[in-house]
Amino acid sequence: MPKMTFIERDGTPREVDAPVGLSVLEVAHKHGVDLEGACEGSLACSTCHVVIDPDWFERLTPPTEDEEDMLDLAFGLEETSRLGCQIVINDGLDGLVVKLPTGTRNAGG
């Protein structure tokens, strides 16, 4: 099973099992990681905003226009920001590293 690492808000790395087919948001919820997801993955908010490790960013499917629109509302947006609900785990993402931003903004959700 693939694994991924969440970098918690305090900088602590937390490696977890990441089942194929689940989104990063679903993996976070499965393991009690503090990633909100107010719209439950329906692409109507930016509360599942994560920052992808630069070594992994180019390996992801590019964001859709709808995802980019929601990211514009995210707090602490960075160059490698994505929405956790839009990244689905596959075998090629074994080892993925994502950082939780310092805060969220629940706009539009």
Side-chain angles (χ1 to χ4, degrees):
M1 173 179 301
K3 296 202 177 289
M4 68 173 291
T5 301
F6 289 96
I7 306 299
E8 302 275 5
R9 296 185 205 293
D10 66 1
T12 304
R14 180 170 173 194
E15 186 179 81
V16 298
D17 288 333
V20 170
L22 291 187
S23 70
V24 168
L25 174 63
E26 291 168 323
V27 172
H29 287 176
K30 177 179 174 65
H31 295 286
V33 174
D34 183 25
L35 187 59
E36 185 177 347
C39 75
E40 299 177 1
S42 66
L43 203 52
C45 74
S46 63
T47 60
C48 67
H49 167 225
V50 293
V51 179
I52 307 300
D53 183 281
D55 292 339
W56 285 94
F57 188 73
E58 294 299 324
R59 300 185 204 186
L60 302 177
T61 304
T64 63
E65 189 174 325
D66 288 342
E67 180 181 355
E68 288 178 345
D69 288 346
M70 283 295 117
L71 279 168
D72 287 342
L73 305 174
F75 178 83
L77 194 64
E78 294 188 26
E79 198 167 310
T80 61
S81 290
R82 291 293 303 269
L83 296 181
C85 68
Q86 298 300 297
I87 303 167
V88 177
I89 301 298
N90 59 50
D91 288 325
L93 295 181
D94 187 17
L96 177 66
V97 178
V98 303
K99 181 176 79 171
L100 301 179
T102 55
T104 63
R105 179 182 299 137
N106 188 0

XYZ file of all heavy atoms in Angstrom:
816
model
N 0.848 -1.181 0.000
C 0.000 0.000 0.000
C 0.894 1.244 0.000
O 1.859 1.312 0.753
C -0.889 0.001 1.245
C -1.678 1.289 1.408
S -2.773 1.328 2.844
C -3.833 -0.062 2.525
N 0.531 2.243 -0.823
C 1.306 3.484 -0.806
C 1.265 4.152 0.566
O 0.327 3.966 1.346
C 0.609 4.362 -1.847
C -0.138 3.414 -2.724
C -0.521 2.265 -1.841
N 2.291 4.914 0.824
C 2.347 5.720 2.042
C 2.501 7.174 1.626
O 2.944 7.474 0.521
C 3.527 5.304 2.910
C 3.414 3.882 3.429
C 4.258 3.695 4.655
C 4.123 2.310 5.237
N 2.854 2.047 5.864
N 2.102 8.058 2.504
C 2.327 9.480 2.275
C 2.661 10.116 3.602
O 2.387 9.552 4.666
C 1.127 10.156 1.613
C -0.114 10.247 2.470
S -1.414 11.243 1.690
C -0.698 12.862 1.782
N 3.258 11.302 3.553
C 3.634 12.018 4.760
C 2.946 13.366 4.787
O 3.017 14.131 3.821
C 5.159 12.216 4.833
O 5.794 10.924 4.817
C 5.565 12.976 6.082
N 2.258 13.624 5.888
C 1.707 14.939 6.167
C 2.701 15.666 7.059
O 3.161 15.103 8.055
C 0.367 14.836 6.919
C -0.773 14.335 6.080
C -1.130 12.995 6.083
C -1.507 15.214 5.285
C -2.180 12.531 5.318
C -2.559 14.757 4.514
C -2.901 13.419 4.530
N 3.032 16.905 6.710
C 3.834 17.740 7.595
C 2.828 18.577 8.373
O 2.147 19.439 7.809
C 4.816 18.650 6.821
C 5.689 17.823 5.857
C 5.660 19.467 7.796
C 6.569 16.786 6.513
N 2.702 18.259 9.660
C 1.707 18.931 10.508
C 2.010 20.430 10.611
O 3.106 20.878 10.282
C 1.716 18.295 11.907
C 1.423 16.812 11.918
C -0.055 16.464 11.941
O -0.903 17.371 11.864
O -0.358 15.265 12.059
N 1.042 21.181 11.102
C 1.184 22.640 11.215
C 2.390 23.051 12.067
O 2.978 24.098 11.853
C -0.100 23.253 11.762
C -1.273 23.045 10.818
C -2.533 23.744 11.272
N -3.746 23.117 10.760
C -4.128 23.084 9.495
N -3.388 23.632 8.574
N -5.250 22.503 9.135
N 2.787 22.189 13.004
C 3.943 22.503 13.853
C 5.260 21.997 13.252
O 6.310 22.084 13.880
C 3.751 21.941 15.263
C 3.724 20.410 15.306
O 3.882 19.752 14.251
O 3.536 19.870 16.419
N 5.198 21.431 12.031
C 6.401 20.959 11.359
C 6.711 19.487 11.558
O 7.661 18.970 10.977
N 5.923 18.785 12.353
C 6.146 17.375 12.626
C 5.695 16.515 11.446
O 4.546 16.622 11.018
C 5.349 16.935 13.877
O 5.705 17.770 14.972
C 5.605 15.476 14.216
N 6.575 15.671 10.911
C 6.151 14.770 9.829
C 5.336 13.601 10.378
O 5.621 13.102 11.476
C 7.467 14.281 9.226
C 8.490 14.476 10.286
C 7.991 15.571 11.196
N 4.323 13.188 9.637
C 3.482 12.071 10.061
C 3.214 11.170 8.861
O 2.449 11.524 7.973
C 2.172 12.616 10.617
C 1.236 11.554 11.092
C 0.090 12.182 11.832
N -0.902 11.204 12.156
C -2.119 11.485 12.559
N -2.473 12.742 12.722
N -2.963 10.533 12.825
N 3.878 10.017 8.824
C 3.693 9.077 7.721
C 2.485 8.195 7.988
O 2.320 7.677 9.098
C 4.942 8.211 7.540
C 4.838 7.314 6.315
C 6.075 6.470 6.099
O 6.189 5.430 6.782
O 6.893 6.852 5.259
N 1.647 8.037 6.952
C 0.420 7.238 7.080
C 0.249 6.357 5.844
O 0.820 6.628 4.791
C -0.823 8.142 7.248
C -0.741 8.974 8.521
C -1.041 9.029 6.027
N -0.552 5.300 5.992
C -0.954 4.500 4.840
C -1.908 5.337 3.998
O -2.780 6.031 4.527
C -1.672 3.222 5.288
C -0.734 2.210 5.914
O 0.465 2.222 5.565
O -1.200 1.424 6.754
N -1.746 5.265 2.669
C -2.578 6.045 1.756
C -3.172 5.099 0.703
O -2.579 4.878 -0.351
C -1.746 7.142 1.094
N -4.333 4.527 0.990
C -4.930 3.561 0.060
C -5.189 4.153 -1.326
O -5.656 5.274 -1.457
C -6.250 3.180 0.738
C -6.047 3.501 2.194
C -5.139 4.694 2.201
N -4.862 3.373 -2.342
C -5.111 3.770 -3.730
C -6.599 4.059 -3.903
O -7.459 3.328 -3.408
C -4.656 2.647 -4.698
C -5.121 2.926 -6.117
C -3.143 2.506 -4.652
N -6.899 5.167 -4.591
C -8.285 5.537 -4.860
C -8.866 6.551 -3.901
O -9.903 7.143 -4.188
N -8.206 6.756 -2.752
C -8.675 7.782 -1.817
C -7.997 9.109 -2.145
O -6.872 9.141 -2.631
C -8.345 7.409 -0.367
C -9.073 6.228 0.268
C -8.719 6.136 1.752
C -10.571 6.319 0.082
N -8.686 10.197 -1.858
C -8.076 11.514 -2.021
C -7.195 11.807 -0.815
O -7.331 11.177 0.243
C -9.155 12.591 -2.162
O -9.833 12.772 -0.926
N -6.316 12.794 -0.969
C -5.485 13.227 0.156
C -6.387 13.648 1.318
O -6.096 13.342 2.483
C -4.531 14.364 -0.277
C -3.883 15.032 0.917
C -3.466 13.817 -1.227
N -7.500 14.310 1.031
C -8.449 14.705 2.075
C -8.990 13.471 2.800
O -9.031 13.429 4.035
C -9.597 15.517 1.466
C -10.738 15.887 2.412
C -10.250 16.790 3.544
C -11.867 16.561 1.636
N -9.388 12.448 2.053
C -9.922 11.228 2.670
C -8.860 10.515 3.493
O -9.150 9.986 4.576
C -10.478 10.297 1.589
C -11.734 10.842 0.930
C -12.123 10.085 -0.333
O -11.228 9.668 -1.108
O -13.342 9.917 -0.534
N -7.629 10.498 3.004
C -6.526 9.881 3.757
C -6.327 10.632 5.072
O -6.170 10.027 6.134
C -5.225 9.858 2.926
C -4.041 9.408 3.774
C -5.383 8.963 1.702
N -6.362 11.964 5.010
C -6.203 12.772 6.223
C -7.288 12.436 7.235
O -7.000 12.213 8.421
C -6.238 14.261 5.876
N -8.538 12.385 6.794
C -9.639 12.087 7.707
C -9.522 10.674 8.277
O -9.793 10.462 9.462
C -10.977 12.267 7.007
C -11.320 13.708 6.778
N -12.436 14.105 6.099
C -10.686 14.855 7.123
C -12.490 15.420 6.053
N -11.424 15.902 6.663
N -9.095 9.721 7.454
C -8.935 8.329 7.900
C -7.935 8.224 9.052
O -8.069 7.377 9.923
C -8.476 7.488 6.706
C -8.189 6.034 6.977
C -7.777 5.333 5.689
C -7.336 3.916 5.890
N -8.392 3.039 6.350
N -6.935 9.116 9.066
C -5.869 9.044 10.064
C -5.938 10.172 11.098
O -4.981 10.369 11.848
C -4.503 9.046 9.369
C -4.283 7.824 8.539
N -4.017 6.589 9.081
C -4.319 7.649 7.198
C -3.890 5.702 8.117
N -4.073 6.313 6.959
N -7.040 10.912 11.133
C -7.202 11.955 12.139
C -6.290 13.157 11.954
O -5.991 13.866 12.907
N -5.850 13.391 10.705
C -5.028 14.560 10.415
C -5.934 15.780 10.335
O -7.035 15.711 9.792
C -4.251 14.361 9.081
C -3.509 15.613 8.680
C -3.293 13.179 9.215
N -5.479 16.901 10.872
C -6.291 18.113 10.978
C -6.387 18.850 9.634
O -5.750 19.873 9.421
C -5.694 19.036 12.050
C -6.526 20.283 12.278
O -7.736 20.258 12.004
O -5.950 21.297 12.741
N -7.183 18.295 8.722
C -7.448 18.903 7.422
C -8.963 18.963 7.284
O -9.618 17.931 7.216
C -6.811 18.068 6.308
C -6.842 18.648 4.899
C -6.120 19.999 4.850
C -6.198 17.679 3.919
N -9.520 20.183 7.254
C -10.962 20.349 7.423
C -11.817 19.740 6.323
O -12.585 18.826 6.574
C -11.294 21.838 7.571
C -12.759 22.069 7.876
C -13.099 23.520 8.087
O -12.204 24.357 8.240
O -14.299 23.825 8.092
N -11.778 20.272 5.121
C -12.655 19.758 4.058
C -14.109 20.070 4.306
O -14.960 19.180 4.282
N -14.450 21.344 4.546
C -15.815 21.751 4.902
C -16.868 21.329 3.877
O -17.989 21.009 4.241
C -15.880 23.262 5.118
N -16.510 21.311 2.598
C -17.492 20.957 1.563
C -17.480 19.458 1.259
O -18.150 19.011 0.334
C -17.262 21.778 0.297
S -15.831 21.249 -0.692
N -16.714 18.693 2.017
C -16.623 17.238 1.884
C -16.166 16.806 0.500
O -16.613 15.804 -0.050
C -17.950 16.577 2.259
C -18.335 16.859 3.710
C -19.675 16.281 4.095
O -20.333 15.640 3.252
O -20.062 16.480 5.253
N -15.259 17.597 -0.080
C -14.667 17.207 -1.350
C -15.476 17.565 -2.581
O -15.206 17.048 -3.658
N -16.446 18.461 -2.460
C -17.288 18.809 -3.612
C -16.768 19.998 -4.403
O -17.467 20.525 -5.252
C -18.730 19.063 -3.163
O -18.791 20.213 -2.336
N -15.539 20.444 -4.112
C -14.882 21.546 -4.816
C -15.665 22.855 -4.671
O -15.828 23.620 -5.599
C -14.679 21.179 -6.293
C -13.590 21.912 -7.062
C -12.253 21.858 -6.343
C -13.442 21.343 -8.461
N -16.167 23.073 -3.434
C -16.937 24.284 -3.155
C -16.300 25.138 -2.063
O -16.912 26.090 -1.599
C -18.365 23.910 -2.759
N -15.086 24.785 -1.626
C -14.387 25.574 -0.611
C -12.887 25.359 -0.795
O -12.468 24.640 -1.697
C -14.829 25.187 0.807
S -14.188 23.605 1.398
N -12.104 25.957 0.083
C -10.645 25.768 -0.011
C -10.063 25.277 1.310
O -8.864 25.373 1.532
C -9.976 27.077 -0.418
O -10.191 28.079 0.568
N -10.893 24.697 2.166
C -10.425 24.308 3.495
C -9.567 23.043 3.509
O -8.990 22.720 4.540
C -11.602 24.139 4.476
O -12.479 23.132 3.974
C -12.353 25.449 4.655
N -9.459 22.353 2.378
C -8.561 21.188 2.314
C -7.270 21.556 1.588
O -6.555 20.684 1.088
C -9.240 19.986 1.668
S -9.629 20.199 -0.081
N -6.961 22.842 1.567
C -5.737 23.355 0.945
C -4.518 22.710 1.595
O -4.394 22.688 2.812
C -5.704 24.876 1.122
C -4.399 25.513 0.826
N -3.848 26.471 1.649
C -3.524 25.336 -0.178
C -2.702 26.873 1.149
N -2.468 26.194 0.036
N -3.639 22.159 0.755
C -2.360 21.618 1.211
C -1.263 22.167 0.307
O -1.522 22.606 -0.811
C -2.329 20.069 1.190
C -3.288 19.490 2.218
C -2.626 19.517 -0.197
N -0.041 22.135 0.800
C 1.109 22.574 0.020
C 1.920 21.320 -0.312
O 2.375 20.610 0.581
C 1.955 23.599 0.798
C 3.163 24.022 -0.026
C 1.101 24.813 1.181
N 2.047 21.063 -1.600
C 2.739 19.866 -2.066
C 4.244 20.102 -2.023
O 4.729 21.160 -2.429
C 2.319 19.528 -3.519
C 0.788 19.436 -3.649
C 3.009 18.265 -4.015
C 0.138 18.397 -2.794
N 4.987 19.114 -1.541
C 6.441 19.194 -1.571
C 6.865 19.429 -3.022
O 6.361 18.743 -3.927
C 7.026 17.881 -1.035
C 8.529 17.901 -0.973
O 9.155 17.721 -2.039
O 9.073 18.089 0.119
N 7.757 20.375 -3.269
C 8.152 20.687 -4.656
C 8.645 19.486 -5.454
O 8.449 19.429 -6.673
C 9.268 21.722 -4.488
C 9.006 22.351 -3.163
C 8.406 21.260 -2.303
N 9.253 18.499 -4.794
C 9.721 17.304 -5.497
C 8.570 16.469 -6.059
O 8.768 15.640 -6.942
C 10.567 16.424 -4.573
C 11.898 17.081 -4.216
O 12.349 17.990 -4.952
O 12.480 16.683 -3.191
N 7.372 16.672 -5.540
C 6.199 15.898 -5.954
C 5.242 16.672 -6.846
O 4.423 16.071 -7.542
C 5.436 15.411 -4.711
C 6.129 14.289 -4.047
C 7.018 14.358 -3.012
C 6.045 12.915 -4.409
N 7.476 13.111 -2.707
C 6.890 12.201 -3.541
C 5.323 12.218 -5.365
C 7.034 10.825 -3.610
C 5.461 10.845 -5.446
C 6.313 10.166 -4.570
N 5.317 17.986 -6.828
C 4.300 18.822 -7.478
C 4.118 18.487 -8.961
O 2.984 18.348 -9.435
C 4.636 20.300 -7.293
C 3.537 21.212 -7.766
C 2.368 21.336 -7.042
C 3.676 21.934 -8.940
C 1.346 22.173 -7.470
C 2.662 22.773 -9.381
C 1.495 22.891 -8.638
N 5.196 18.344 -9.699
C 5.104 18.095 -11.139
C 4.590 16.689 -11.468
O 4.212 16.423 -12.610
C 6.457 18.333 -11.821
C 6.908 19.777 -11.780
C 5.948 20.742 -12.478
O 5.360 20.370 -13.515
O 5.767 21.863 -11.965
N 4.568 15.807 -10.492
C 4.084 14.443 -10.728
C 2.560 14.354 -10.666
O 1.989 13.336 -11.048
C 4.672 13.484 -9.693
C 6.175 13.425 -9.718
C 6.660 12.382 -8.758
N 8.018 12.655 -8.316
C 8.720 11.844 -7.566
N 8.189 10.709 -7.157
N 9.940 12.164 -7.209
N 1.930 15.397 -10.168
C 0.473 15.396 -10.025
C -0.211 15.801 -11.321
O 0.356 16.544 -12.127
C 0.050 16.369 -8.922
C 0.627 16.116 -7.533
C 0.165 17.206 -6.583
C 0.228 14.742 -7.022
N -1.434 15.339 -11.491
C -2.258 15.810 -12.600
C -2.487 17.299 -12.383
O -2.755 17.723 -11.258
C -3.613 15.064 -12.577
O -3.370 13.668 -12.624
C -4.483 15.486 -13.737
N -2.370 18.116 -13.429
C -2.561 19.558 -13.244
C -3.955 19.882 -12.691
O -4.921 19.156 -12.967
C -2.407 20.128 -14.659
C -1.635 19.096 -15.414
C -2.022 17.773 -14.808
N -4.070 20.967 -11.922
C -5.378 21.338 -11.373
C -6.342 21.781 -12.477
O -5.919 22.332 -13.501
C -5.059 22.507 -10.441
C -3.764 23.054 -10.930
C -3.022 21.905 -11.546
N -7.611 21.542 -12.262
C -8.644 22.021 -13.177
C -8.850 23.516 -12.939
O -8.404 24.067 -11.926
C -9.986 21.306 -12.932
O -10.433 21.620 -11.612
C -9.854 19.791 -13.102
N -9.554 24.148 -13.842
C -9.871 25.565 -13.676
C -10.702 25.785 -12.414
O -10.504 26.762 -11.683
C -10.622 26.078 -14.906
C -10.809 27.579 -14.910
C -11.432 28.088 -16.201
O -11.142 27.534 -17.277
O -12.214 29.049 -16.117
N -11.644 24.863 -12.130
C -12.463 24.981 -10.919
C -11.598 24.906 -9.662
O -11.817 25.647 -8.705
C -13.535 23.887 -10.870
C -14.656 24.123 -11.879
O -14.803 25.263 -12.370
O -15.379 23.155 -12.182
N -10.613 23.995 -9.655
C -9.722 23.899 -8.499
C -8.911 25.193 -8.352
O -8.761 25.713 -7.244
C -8.788 22.704 -8.617
C -7.861 22.589 -7.407
C -6.893 21.426 -7.473
O -6.963 20.607 -8.423
O -6.042 21.329 -6.569
N -8.400 25.709 -9.467
C -7.636 26.956 -9.406
C -8.480 28.101 -8.864
O -7.992 28.924 -8.086
C -7.071 27.295 -10.783
C -5.940 26.372 -11.184
C -5.393 26.658 -12.571
O -6.041 27.376 -13.363
O -4.284 26.167 -12.856
N -9.763 28.148 -9.244
C -10.662 29.192 -8.732
C -10.803 29.089 -7.217
O -10.797 30.101 -6.508
C -12.039 29.100 -9.388
C -12.030 29.545 -10.842
O -11.042 30.175 -11.285
O -13.024 29.252 -11.546
N -10.942 27.875 -6.700
C -11.071 27.686 -5.250
C -9.749 27.978 -4.545
O -9.736 28.557 -3.459
C -11.538 26.261 -4.924
C -13.004 26.019 -5.148
S -14.024 27.005 -4.026
C -14.879 28.032 -5.199
N -8.632 27.621 -5.169
C -7.328 27.902 -4.573
C -7.107 29.404 -4.403
O -6.432 29.827 -3.467
C -6.200 27.299 -5.416
C -5.942 25.817 -5.203
C -5.015 25.282 -6.278
C -5.387 25.547 -3.816
N -7.691 30.204 -5.293
C -7.570 31.665 -5.172
C -8.118 32.162 -3.839
O -7.749 33.240 -3.378
C -8.302 32.372 -6.317
C -7.574 32.233 -7.646
O -6.362 31.898 -7.648
O -8.222 32.458 -8.687
N -8.985 31.376 -3.214
C -9.590 31.758 -1.934
C -8.828 31.215 -0.734
O -9.153 31.541 0.404
C -11.039 31.242 -1.872
C -11.957 31.668 -3.013
C -13.304 30.952 -2.885
C -12.140 33.179 -3.036
N -7.837 30.376 -0.986
C -7.119 29.697 0.106
C -6.224 30.653 0.875
O -5.600 31.544 0.317
C -6.288 28.540 -0.457
N -6.140 30.428 2.168
C -5.261 31.180 3.051
C -3.839 30.654 2.884
O -3.609 29.455 2.847
C -5.722 30.982 4.497
C -4.863 31.673 5.509
C -5.054 33.008 5.799
C -3.848 30.991 6.163
C -4.274 33.650 6.734
C -3.050 31.624 7.103
C -3.263 32.952 7.383
N -2.862 31.550 2.780
C -1.461 31.137 2.716
C -1.093 30.409 1.445
O -0.263 29.495 1.467
N -1.690 30.810 0.333
C -1.439 30.159 -0.952
C 0.056 30.191 -1.303
O 0.717 31.203 -1.129
C -2.247 30.882 -2.033
C -2.400 30.182 -3.371
C -3.179 28.889 -3.213
C -3.095 31.102 -4.357
N 0.562 29.055 -1.773
C 1.953 28.955 -2.200
C 1.998 28.418 -3.632
O 0.994 27.953 -4.161
C 2.741 28.037 -1.260
C 2.862 28.617 0.141
C 3.796 27.809 1.032
O 4.696 27.136 0.494
O 3.611 27.878 2.254
N 3.163 28.470 -4.239
C 3.306 28.056 -5.631
C 2.909 26.597 -5.857
O 2.421 26.236 -6.920
C 4.745 28.279 -6.086
C 4.894 28.304 -7.584
C 6.251 28.827 -8.012
O 6.661 29.897 -7.530
O 6.890 28.142 -8.821
N 3.089 25.749 -4.852
C 2.754 24.331 -4.994
C 1.479 23.963 -4.233
O 1.290 22.808 -3.855
C 3.932 23.436 -4.555
O 4.218 23.690 -3.178
C 5.165 23.672 -5.410
N 0.589 24.926 -4.031
C -0.678 24.669 -3.342
C -1.632 23.875 -4.221
O -1.700 24.082 -5.431
C -1.348 25.985 -2.950
O -0.656 26.627 -1.922
N -2.355 22.973 -3.580
C -3.420 22.200 -4.240
C -4.521 21.963 -3.221
O -4.343 22.171 -2.023
C -2.887 20.836 -4.720
C -1.904 20.889 -5.867
C -2.509 21.361 -7.185
N -3.634 20.552 -7.642
C -3.538 19.494 -8.448
N -2.350 19.117 -8.893
N -4.622 18.829 -8.819
N -5.667 21.490 -3.692
C -6.750 21.075 -2.799
C -6.631 19.569 -2.586
O -6.554 18.799 -3.550
C -8.112 21.426 -3.392
C -8.397 22.905 -3.571
C -9.796 23.105 -4.149
C -8.245 23.672 -2.270
N -6.627 19.175 -1.328
C -6.467 17.761 -0.996
C -7.555 16.872 -1.559
O -7.323 15.696 -1.840
N -8.747 17.426 -1.769
C -9.850 16.621 -2.305
C -9.649 16.278 -3.774
O -10.323 15.388 -4.303
C -11.186 17.331 -2.100
S -11.403 18.838 -3.085
N -8.739 16.965 -4.442
C -8.546 16.776 -5.880
C -7.336 15.910 -6.224
O -7.086 15.640 -7.393
C -8.421 18.133 -6.567
C -9.656 18.995 -6.425
C -10.891 18.329 -7.016
O -10.949 18.076 -8.210
N -11.871 18.028 -6.167
N -6.600 15.466 -5.230
C -5.438 14.605 -5.464
C -5.805 13.194 -5.032
O -6.017 12.934 -3.847
C -4.216 15.102 -4.669
C -3.901 16.545 -5.045
C -3.021 14.188 -4.890
C -2.928 17.219 -4.107
N -5.924 12.300 -6.007
C -6.307 10.918 -5.727
C -5.046 10.053 -5.736
O -4.245 10.102 -6.667
C -7.334 10.413 -6.757
C -7.676 8.950 -6.510
C -8.597 11.274 -6.704
N -4.906 9.280 -4.681
C -3.724 8.437 -4.510
C -3.703 7.319 -5.543
O -4.712 6.662 -5.781
C -3.689 7.835 -3.075
C -3.674 8.933 -2.009
C -2.511 6.876 -2.917
C -2.473 9.852 -2.060
N -2.526 7.139 -6.146
C -2.271 5.991 -7.008
C -0.878 5.475 -6.645
O -0.181 6.089 -5.840
C -2.391 6.368 -8.497
C -1.426 7.463 -8.900
O -0.229 7.388 -8.627
N -1.933 8.488 -9.568
N -0.498 4.346 -7.227
C 0.800 3.752 -6.872
C 1.970 4.689 -7.153
O 2.985 4.650 -6.465
C 0.998 2.418 -7.591
C 0.115 1.313 -7.020
O -0.113 1.307 -5.794
O -0.351 0.465 -7.804
N 1.830 5.550 -8.156
C 2.891 6.486 -8.496
C 3.095 7.581 -7.463
O 4.091 8.299 -7.509
N 2.143 7.719 -6.535
C 2.261 8.743 -5.489
C 2.752 8.172 -4.162
O 2.679 8.837 -3.129
C 0.924 9.471 -5.300
C 0.448 10.299 -6.500
C -0.878 10.983 -6.182
C 1.491 11.308 -6.920
N 3.249 6.937 -4.184
C 3.804 6.337 -2.971
C 4.967 7.204 -2.486
O 5.926 7.432 -3.229
C 4.285 4.920 -3.264
C 4.730 4.176 -2.013
O 4.391 4.604 -0.894
O 5.435 3.161 -2.167
N 4.850 7.744 -1.282
C 5.876 8.608 -0.718
C 5.535 10.090 -0.779
O 6.317 10.926 -0.327
N 4.361 10.431 -1.345
C 3.928 11.828 -1.457
C 4.080 12.563 -0.136
O 3.772 12.020 0.924
C 2.463 11.872 -1.903
C 1.805 13.239 -2.010
C 2.438 14.066 -3.112
C 0.306 13.074 -2.247
N 4.563 13.804 -0.203
C 4.725 14.645 0.988
C 3.901 15.914 0.796
O 4.058 16.609 -0.210
C 6.209 15.007 1.224
C 6.360 15.916 2.434
C 7.051 13.749 1.388
N 3.000 16.185 1.747
C 2.200 17.408 1.716
C 2.282 18.108 3.064
O 2.360 17.464 4.106
C 0.720 17.151 1.351
C 0.591 16.439 0.019
C -0.005 16.370 2.423
N 2.298 19.431 3.007
C 2.381 20.244 4.226
C 1.024 20.886 4.471
O 0.383 21.382 3.539
C 3.457 21.311 4.040
C 3.666 22.211 5.251
C 4.819 23.175 5.027
C 4.365 24.320 4.156
N 5.331 25.423 4.052
N 0.594 20.884 5.717
C -0.636 21.576 6.082
C -0.313 23.055 6.263
O 0.664 23.402 6.926
C -1.203 21.012 7.391
C -1.530 19.522 7.387
C -2.051 19.107 8.761
C -2.527 19.176 6.314
N -1.111 23.949 5.658
C -0.861 25.383 5.846
C -1.143 25.789 7.285
O -1.788 25.052 8.032
C -1.820 26.050 4.869
C -2.893 25.049 4.643
C -2.272 23.691 4.836
N -0.680 26.981 7.658
C -0.838 27.427 9.046
C -2.279 27.747 9.410
O -2.613 27.813 10.576
C 0.046 28.653 9.332
O -0.274 29.660 8.375
C 1.508 28.294 9.233
N -3.128 27.943 8.411
C -4.538 28.233 8.684
C -5.383 27.969 7.471
O -4.878 27.614 6.416
N -6.703 28.134 7.618
C -7.622 27.982 6.495
C -8.578 29.149 6.490
O -8.748 29.843 7.482
C -8.452 26.665 6.575
O -9.264 26.721 7.743
C -7.567 25.436 6.602
N -9.204 29.319 5.343
C -10.246 30.345 5.211
C -11.417 29.659 4.581
O -11.342 29.165 3.473
C -9.749 31.476 4.310
C -10.766 32.561 4.088
C -10.260 33.638 3.157
N -9.073 34.297 3.716
C -7.991 34.608 3.009
N -7.910 34.327 1.735
N -6.981 35.219 3.583
N -12.548 29.607 5.277
C -13.733 28.935 4.764
C -14.573 29.919 3.970
O -15.586 30.417 4.427
C -14.547 28.323 5.911
C -15.669 27.444 5.383
O -15.835 27.296 4.174
N -16.435 26.875 6.288
N -14.110 30.230 2.753
C -14.844 31.126 1.871
C -15.503 30.307 0.791
O -14.883 29.480 0.157
C -13.897 32.150 1.249
N -16.761 30.498 0.589
C -17.473 29.796 -0.453
C -17.916 28.404 -0.037
O -18.413 27.656 -0.842
N -17.792 28.059 1.224
C -18.150 26.701 1.625
C -19.031 26.638 2.746
O -19.659 27.080 3.453
